């Protein structure tokens, strides 16, 4: 059985990936870690194995890996795109510095390493519609710069040292357990909470701005499936486009209105996040992931919205 360490476990993806991995590999085989104290964790993480850990602390990370005989690491530590523009140097230090640290540890300790890339790894000169798997990558956000460098570095460690690095380019992730923080795509989560709480949302992304999005269950499936994939079939390894749906704010609002007919939306566009969104693809071509490891999402805008509203109505009661 795999022995897994999830770093950055208290964030939007980690807080759901940890229980998901535990349900597959067993409670005792999945260790969560984050900068937070255990007392600051949400209910789901609080129950199982947990270590307070800084990704830049090599000695501490090695000690945890030895303590639990870890053989696979999910590296979810990152400053996202919007917050990255406020703190570019910190973004580089954490996103890339943390990854370099983990790659070196993985090389020495023979670990498998999952590191997500993002639609943020593309830029304004990338083909916007049906963005190919292999194409121009000249991102203009620091987040994107760290993601492209990370993809290349992971490829390098695989080729040069045989480290089992793997990863996917995640779209905006929509979920209802832990809020995302500091991303450009966060509006597509906030809108559901505000629709239920207030019946109104002021959107910071302009009408007509398409971006790829994915519901959390598909995100979890992608993270597990790529790590379980037969390595002999993987031609890309660290940068698979994975897509599920592409929409713009008006389409999302219209779908919400099917459940909450009185819902209204207006706009107060944030130039920084709008600029980032404009530089990203409208929709990605994920045929390489489908061919090489059988990627197939289950959720589209319609069934995701049904589920989000059902779950959040209960949660926000
Ligand atoms: C962000 O908006 O920064 C992230 C991402 C798409 O990587 N959600």
């Amino acid at each position: 059985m795999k022995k897994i360490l999830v770093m950055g476990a208290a964030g939007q993806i980690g807080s759901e990936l940890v229980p998901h991995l535990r349900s597959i590999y067993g409670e005792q085989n999945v260790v969560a870690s984050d900068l937070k104290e255990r007392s600051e964790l949400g209910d789901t993480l609080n129950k199982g194995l947990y270590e307070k850990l800084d990704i830049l602390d090599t000695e501490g990370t090695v000690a945890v890996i030895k303590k639990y005989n870890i053989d696979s690491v999910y590296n979810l530590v990152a400053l996202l795109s919007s917050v990255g523009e406020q703190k570019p140097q910190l973004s580089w230090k954490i996103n890339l510095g943390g990854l370099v640290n983990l790659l070196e540890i993985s090389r020495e300790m023979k670990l498998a390493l999952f590191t997500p890339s993002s639609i943020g790894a593309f830029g304004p000169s990338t083909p916007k519609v049906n963005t190919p798997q292999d194409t121009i990558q000249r991102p203009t956000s620091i987040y994107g710069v760290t993601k492209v460098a990370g993809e290349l570095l992971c490829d390098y460690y695989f080729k040069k040292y045989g480290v089992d690095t793997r990863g996917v380019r995640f779209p905006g992730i929509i979920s209802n357990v832990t809020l995302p923080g500091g991303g450009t795509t966060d509006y597509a989560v906030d809108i559901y909470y505000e629709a239920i709480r207030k019946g109104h949302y002021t959107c910071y992304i302009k009408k007509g701005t398409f971006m790829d999005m994915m519901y959390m269950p598909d995100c979890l499936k992608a993270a597990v499936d790529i790590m379980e994939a037969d390595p002999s079939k993987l031609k890309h390894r660290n940068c698979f486009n994975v897509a599920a749906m592409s929409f713009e704010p008006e389409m999302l609002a219209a779908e919400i209105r099917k459940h909450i007919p009185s819902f209204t939306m207006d706009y107060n566009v944030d130039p920084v996040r709008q600029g980032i969104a404009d530089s990203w693809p409208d929709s990605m071509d994920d045929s390489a992931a489908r061919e090489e490891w059988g990627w197939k999402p289950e959720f589209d805008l319609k069934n995701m919205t049904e589920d989000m509203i059902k779950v959040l109505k209960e949660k926000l009661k």
Side-chain angles (χ1 to χ4, degrees), residues 37-194:
E37 298 290 343
R38 184 185 265 283
S39 57
E40 297 171 280
L41 299 176
D43 286 350
T44 44
L45 280 195
N46 209 344
K47 290 180 198 129
L49 298 172
Y50 180 78
E51 296 282 342
K52 181 175 186 290
L53 202 50
D54 180 346
I55 194 166
L56 298 174
D57 170 9
T58 311
E59 263 177 44
T61 306
V62 168
V64 168
I65 288 168
K66 283 190 178 150
K67 177 173 170 189
Y68 295 98
N69 283 318
I70 297 296
D71 54 42
S72 308
V73 176
Y74 278 84
N75 167 25
L76 303 178
V77 176
L79 252 63
L80 296 185
S81 55
S82 164
V83 74
E85 291 312 298
Q86 289 154 29
K87 302 171 184 173
Q89 293 76 13
L90 187 65
S91 171
W92 179 264
K93 188 171 162 194
I94 291 181
N95 296 11
L96 239 299
L99 176 59
V100 170
N101 222 17
L102 275 184
L103 282 166
E104 271 300 290
I105 294 171
S106 302
R107 175 168 77 90
E108 282 183 14
M109 302 180 82
K110 308 218 174 319
L111 311 175
L113 178 62
F114 172 86
T115 307
S117 184
S118 157
I119 51 173
F122 296 115
S125 51
T126 302
K128 247 188 149 15
V129 177
N130 219 15
T131 302
Q133 173 65 47
D134 300 308
T135 186
I136 301 164
Q137 289 182 267
R138 306 283 297 168
T140 44
S141 69
I142 187 70
Y143 177 65
V145 172
T146 67
K147 286 299 173 191
V148 177
E151 288 181 4
L152 293 172
L153 210 52
C154 288
D155 280 350
Y156 184 80
Y157 267 72
F158 169 66
K159 278 212 193 97
K160 178 117 181 143
Y161 302 117
V163 178
D164 187 2
T165 52
R166 304 188 190 194
V168 296
R169 293 183 183 129
F170 276 136
I173 303 299
I174 297 172
S175 66
N176 48 51
V177 173
T178 303
L179 284 168
T184 300
T185 56
D186 297 5
Y187 91 88
V189 179
D190 300 341
I191 191 172
Y192 286 103
Y193 281 78
E194 296 297 284

